[in-house]
Amino acid sequence: MREASQHARLLALREEINEHNRLYYREDAPRVSDADYDRLMLELNEIERAHPDWVSPDSPTQRVGATPLAAFGSVRHAVRMLSLGNAFEAEDIRSFDERVSGTLREAGLLGDGVVEYVAEYKFDGLAVSLRYEDGLLVQAATRGDGQTGEDITANMRTVRSVPLRLAGQAPAVLEVRGEVLMARRDFEHLNAVQAARGDKIFVNPRNAAAGSLRQLDPHITAARPLRFYAYGWGDIQGVSGHGALFGDALLPYETHEQMLEWLAGFDLPVSPHYHRCQGAQGLLDFYAKVGATRASLPFEIDGVVYKVNALRAQEILGYVARAPRFAIAHKFPAQEALTVLLGIDVQVGRTGAITPVGRLKPVFVGGVTVTNATLHNEDEIRRKDVRVGDTVIVRRAGDVIPEIVGPVLDLRSADAVVFDMRALFPNCPVCGSAIERPEGEAVARCTGALFCPAQRKQTLWHAASRKALDIEGLGDKLIDQLVDSGRVNTLADLYTLGELELSGYPRMGLKSARNLVAAIARARHPALSRLLYALGIRHVGETTARDLAQHFGSIDALMAASEDALLQINEVGPAVVASVQRFFAEPHNREVIEALRAVGVEPVSDAPIQGQKQFAGKTFVLTGTMPTLTRDEATALILAAGGKVSGSVSRKTAWVIAGEEAGSKLTKAHELGVPVLDEDGLKALLAQT
Ligand code: IVH
């Protein structure tokens, strides 16, 4: 009896552990802490140690093999592993589609219609083939030269989203092909751990995944958070059914999409982000859509892949050399490139932060030519061991500021120079004030505050930005000139600019001068929250500015507020309080506020809109990508209904609005029992009156 209940516990543990693996590695929504997970594994291990005859090869305890290998064996692929042709331009995709439709029309497989494709992500990892026999994972191999790869079975067993046994009725042989990769979050965490131990830092997730797979000791691989996504197959034997005959193989289904669903049915991790597309235009639409969300995905993709959906059509189209004619990779502009670091300058930010900036030999990356890239701070330069003269990897992802990932050590020349910020920049290079490096902080700061023209310029630029006073036409070049000529020293001075005067500045016609003066005039009566945000008080972002504005109603009330009064506000903590009080204690800042009043700047209150009070005081948190609304649009809808939007989930959160690829905020919501809605749910909620 005790035996029976122990065995039942063992089965329950295995199931629970597999479920946690799925939640973590597939849904990005872990539900337990690492410690809880480890406890479950420990309990399972104990039961198995007491009952060695209960250990089965598909138990989660059997993922990590006992002994390191001396070398990887080689594996001859039963069916060749192919690669894909690449395309970069829309034009290439149109010709691909023309070739495909031409061949299929000739073969009588396409009437007047367009070709149906399945478009998938092009995962930026390493191709791997998994062989299952009678449902059990028996072998895993790298692509190698396509014919022969390396045997990485022990390592792939440690990848927790790879089932050790297929679910359901598996065929006699099933070879699954897919990509091994590391999610960005896991990559960053791994690098932090590596850095803390003084171990090797990986330059990107792909590299980290490759390095992790190449370990002869599977214990090391097991400690690396790798994932696998299936997108194809190789050898298949012993399927029943009436599907397509492909080469010598009888496939159970007629289309690629059905094959993916079939694979997913065995509990193999198939990314849900594939999409059926019609004709070239359908493909290009998918490309544009994925391109726009690429930067917010949990892992990196370097393009999308298009595959003709009908398997019969795939077979007719056949292959050229090592790539199929029925599929093509449509790549995004590379996000990383190599170039030479010519020098390092420093830039002074709005709060005085001194940021080292690498001057680069111009390089085309991420779709633009890059000549400067951030190096973050001095510690970072030291940690990465970047030297002037090095060949470096430059990365530009989406609209993110280009950064220097690291040097290519193999290409380092003997005269590369270590950067010594203290020696080169003892004082602020812009205003000459002392540079302060607070103990324990990575960031060095110019102490010149608004005496420093660089900080003044940045402050004006921030104040004019869209989410602050939204002064269109006040660009950074003009700000440079206004500050350098001494004409504008503070925000208040902006309001005294006239048309004629402005039209005298280079590249300013009378028309643009007139438009700018009109835009400045409109900014005389901003919402109080916008004005507070525009002042650039440290730690006062948009949301906090809104909270402060709604709570105090006027600048005077805020300036007079005690620490206690400030702490009354939800989400306002000691850091914000200290920063607000420090700001208003500064005589110069008080002068600016007086000057603003003197030039007629009068903020209007931004109380919630009347009549929709049911969301007054309710806080929403947004996470993930919504199908149609942007984050700003969703925020605007919520604010218009009297609600608030916060960046972090707490017990006080009324709703979490989760889109695709929602991350830790969603997990937190589940933990705290906060209700979760999707975009439609949000719209329905707001529609209730
Ligand atoms: S299909 C017969 N689909 O891209 C076609 N490959 O450049 C075989 N890759 O070696 C590949 N995502 O490592 C396919 N959704 C996807 C993919 C994908 C990434 C990689 C794979 C392949 C390389 C070809």
Side-chain angles (χ1 to χ4, degrees):
M1 188 56 219
R2 238 183 68 78
E3 291 276 292
S5 78
Q6 280 237 314
H7 194 257
R9 178 65 187 148
L10 167 125
L11 295 180
L13 279 167
R14 285 182 186 165
E15 196 168 311
E16 189 175 351
I17 291 167
N18 285 334
E19 175 65 5
H20 289 311
N21 285 339
R22 200 182 60 77
L23 286 168
Y24 187 98
Y25 288 100
R26 298 202 198 175
E27 315 267 309
D28 281 299
R31 212 172 280 159
V32 290
S33 66
D34 289 359
D36 287 341
Y37 179 89
D38 292 345
R39 255 194 296 281
L40 295 173
M41 279 297 279
L42 206 67
E43 190 186 344
L44 178 58
N45 254 314
E46 269 164 19
I47 302 182
E48 290 186 355
R49 204 154 351 128
H51 301 273
D53 50 320
W54 288 353
V55 178
S56 66
D58 62 341
S59 170
T61 58
Q62 301 304 299
R63 287 196 177 269
V64 189
T67 42
L69 304 170
F72 294 115
S74 64
V75 173
R76 202 172 162 83
H77 298 297
V79 175
R80 240 165 47 134
M81 284 184 80
L82 300 164
S83 66
L84 292 170
N86 286 333
F88 289 92
E89 309 295 335
E91 209 32 59
D92 304 332
I93 298 308
R94 288 198 196 92
S95 352
F96 163 74
D97 177 58
E98 273 163 28
R99 286 196 302 276
V100 168
S101 345
T103 309
L104 295 184
R105 209 161 276 132
E106 261 171 46
L109 282 179
L110 184 69
D112 298 334
V114 293
V115 179
E116 179 170 281
Y117 298 92
V118 168
E120 302 169 353
Y121 287 166
K122 187 173 189 314
F123 305 98
D124 197 6
L126 299 104
V128 161
S129 185
L130 305 177
R131 187 175 174 93
Y132 288 89
E133 289 178 4
D134 297 322
L136 269 191
L137 176 63
V138 295
Q139 189 170 63
T142 61
R143 193 174 93 89
D145 63 3
Q147 301 266 20
T148 309
E150 282 179 317
D151 185 338
I152 50 162
T153 313
N155 287 343
M156 285 307 294
R157 287 181 64 88
T158 71
V159 176
R160 293 193 239 161
S161 58
V162 167
L164 298 176
R165 178 193 293 278
L166 298 178
Q169 272 296 314
V173 173
L174 174 59
E175 264 183 24
V176 184
R177 271 130 194 218
E179 202 84 350
V180 169
L181 48 85
M182 195 178 285
R184 292 181 222 265
R185 181 184 61 188
D186 293 333
F187 160 73
E188 272 149 27
H189 182 244
L190 171 64
N191 261 355
V193 172
Q194 295 280 105
R197 289 200 198 127
D199 283 344
K200 178 188 157 98
I201 303 286
F202 295 101
V203 294
N204 57 33
R206 187 178 187 287
N207 241 277
S212 305
L213 266 194
R214 226 172 274 131
Q215 298 292 334
L216 288 167
D217 182 355
H219 285 94
I220 300 181
T221 314
R224 304 280 174 81
L226 294 172
R227 305 172 182 223
F228 174 80
Y229 286 105
Y231 49 65
W233 58 92
D235 196 9
I236 296 182
Q237 291 174 31
V239 295
S240 49
H242 50 280
L245 187 68
F246 196 100
D248 307 330
L250 176 69
L251 300 180
Y253 292 104
E254 312 272 348
T255 66
H256 180 74
E257 184 183 30
Q258 289 166 337
M259 286 296 286
L260 289 180
E261 285 166 5
W262 184 62
L263 295 177
F266 294 122
D267 212 15
L268 286 160
V270 175
S271 156
H273 300 284
Y274 63 82
H275 190 75
R276 236 184 302 128
C277 301
Q278 313 299 327
Q281 196 50 50
L283 299 177
L284 296 174
D285 291 346
F286 181 80
Y287 181 80
K289 191 166 156 250
V290 175
T293 56
R294 172 188 188 195
S296 59
L297 295 180
F299 47 76
E300 297 199 339
I301 59 176
D302 56 343
V304 290
V305 178
Y306 310 138
K307 299 172 181 173
V308 171
N309 196 15
L311 299 174
R312 172 98 189 93
Q314 288 194 2
E315 186 166 22
I316 299 276
L317 286 156
Y319 303 85
V320 261
R322 286 147 166 240
R325 278 204 201 85
F326 56 80
I328 195 164
H330 193 179
K331 305 261 285 211
F332 294 129
Q335 293 186 321
E336 289 185 353
L338 294 188
T339 189
V340 178
L341 179 63
L342 303 173
I344 299 178
D345 290 344
V346 297
Q347 245 170 26
V348 186
R350 178 162 64 84
T351 57
I354 309 270
T355 312
V357 178
R359 303 276 168 238
L360 303 170
K361 187 166 163 227
V363 61
F364 190 74
V365 56
V368 298
T369 299
V370 169
T371 50
N372 299 322
T374 180
L375 280 156
H376 301 292
N377 58 56
E378 217 184 348
D379 289 351
E380 182 96 349
I381 298 179
R382 211 167 303 128
R383 189 170 70 78
K384 291 177 175 168
D385 187 22
V386 176
R387 304 184 189 176
V388 174
D390 270 345
T391 297
V392 290
I393 300 169
V394 178
R395 179 176 174 81
R396 181 183 179 271
D399 291 331
V400 182
I401 300 168
E403 65 163 349
I404 293 175
V405 178
V408 183
L409 292 178
D410 292 346
L411 298 178
R412 171 167 288 168
S413 74
D415 48 10
V417 183
V418 174
F419 174 71
D420 183 346
M421 188 145 114
R422 278 158 223 257
L424 291 171
F425 300 98
N427 293 93
C428 172
V430 178
C431 72
S433 301
I435 290 181
E436 196 181 57
R437 291 184 179 82
E439 199 57 43
E441 265 193 46
V443 180
R445 281 178 205 279
C446 160
T447 52
L450 293 181
F451 167 74
C452 177
Q455 294 187 52
R456 234 181 292 151
K457 288 175 186 173
Q458 298 278 336
T459 303
L460 288 169
W461 190 77
H462 166 78
S465 66
R466 200 168 50 81
K467 289 175 176 172
L469 298 175
D470 194 15
I471 304 178
E472 216 189 312
L474 187 63
D476 47 1
K477 294 267 167 8
L478 182 60
I479 291 177
D480 283 353
Q481 288 155 3
L482 291 169
V483 172
D484 291 341
S485 67
R487 174 61 182 83
V488 171
N489 285 310
T490 73
L491 185 51
D493 296 335
L494 276 184
Y495 291 89
T496 65
L497 290 167
E499 275 171 32
L500 268 177
E501 176 188 12
L502 274 174
S503 65
Y505 280 86
R507 284 189 299 272
M508 278 296 267
L510 192 56
K511 182 146 178 269
S512 20
R514 187 166 299 152
N515 289 341
L516 178 54
V517 169
I520 294 173
R522 278 195 296 278
R524 271 211 164 76
H525 303 289
L528 178 59
S529 58
R530 283 177 172 266
L531 182 61
L532 289 178
Y533 176 64
L535 290 175
I537 306 168
R538 229 177 137 195
H539 301 307
V540 178
E542 265 177 284
T543 312
T544 306
R546 217 147 32 214
D547 288 344
L548 293 173
Q550 296 209 345
H551 196 271
F552 292 103
S554 75
I555 291 219
D556 288 333
L558 175 60
M559 280 166 75
S562 67
E563 190 177 331
D564 281 349
L566 284 162
L567 283 170
Q568 294 285 304
I569 307 178
N570 253 353
E571 347 257 343
V572 166
V576 176
V577 174
S579 167
V580 168
Q581 296 203 317
R582 205 177 312 126
F583 184 88
F584 289 119
E586 172 67 48
H588 174 85
N589 291 333
R590 290 183 166 263
E591 279 164 28
V592 171
I593 288 167
E594 275 319 305
L596 282 169
R597 246 192 273 272
V599 295
V601 175
E602 270 178 28
V604 297
S605 78
D606 37 3
I609 291 170
Q610 293 297 311
Q612 282 180 312
K613 287 254 171 67
Q614 98 243 43
F615 297 111
K618 301 274 190 229
T619 305
F620 293 67
V621 172
L622 304 171
T623 175
T625 313
M626 278 174 265
T628 69
L629 290 176
T630 66
R631 218 158 249 255
D632 284 350
E633 286 164 353
T635 304
L637 286 177
I638 292 167
L639 295 179
K644 287 200 299 186
V645 176
S646 160
S648 56
V649 181
S650 73
R651 280 178 211 286
K652 291 181 188 156
T653 308
W655 288 279
V656 166
I657 312 300
E660 258 183 59
E661 311 289 358
S664 60
K665 292 179 195 168
L666 180 57
T667 320
K668 189 87 186 277
H670 288 315
E671 275 171 23
L672 297 179
V674 172
V676 177
L677 298 174
D678 62 4
E679 178 180 314
D680 287 341
L682 171 67
K683 287 179 178 161
L685 181 71
L686 296 179
Q688 295 169 12
T689 32

